[in-house]
Amino acid sequence: MKNNKSSFLDRFDLPEDLTKNGYHIEIYNSCAVVDGCKNVNEYSDGIIRLNLGSTVVSVIGNSLTIRSFSCGQATIDGHISSVEIG
């Protein structure tokens, strides 16, 4: 029998790392979606740094914009050249 947490994750097709105070990053086309965001540390045309608690994610490129930031999820558009986690 599955516990409630496993059932919830399966039901909404969520990655398990979201329930461990972790983060989740998906990159496709010219978009990055970062789950687990606390706030934005830096925001410019060439770099966006997101605070994820004990981790900082830096999205590097040009013409970067934050399309949305809601409920701990940031969606970044632009020409993404790299993502650094540290």
Side-chain angles (χ1 to χ4, degrees):
M1 181 174 171
K2 290 185 175 184
N3 64 30
N4 287 339
K5 184 169 71 170
S6 294
S7 176
F8 177 80
L9 294 173
D10 291 342
R11 185 176 188 188
F12 292 101
D13 194 29
L14 297 171
E16 187 174 332
D17 55 353
L18 287 180
T19 62
K20 297 178 181 176
N21 294 327
Y23 57 89
H24 181 83
I25 302 171
E26 292 185 23
I27 301 169
Y28 51 95
N29 297 331
S30 52
C31 178
V33 179
V34 182
D35 290 307
C37 298
K38 306 291 184 201
N39 58 38
V40 178
N41 287 355
E42 183 178 347
Y43 188 167
S44 70
D45 182 57
I47 188 166
I48 296 175
R49 288 190 210 281
L50 302 171
N51 178 1
L52 307 180
S54 61
T55 304
V56 174
V57 170
S58 301
V59 179
I60 301 163
N62 54 24
S63 301
L64 299 177
T65 59
I66 297 177
R67 179 177 3 141
S68 67
F69 189 98
S70 178
C71 300
Q73 183 182 76
T75 303
I76 300 170
D77 288 330
H79 302 285
I80 299 169
S81 58
S82 65
V83 175
E84 297 178 359
I85 301 170

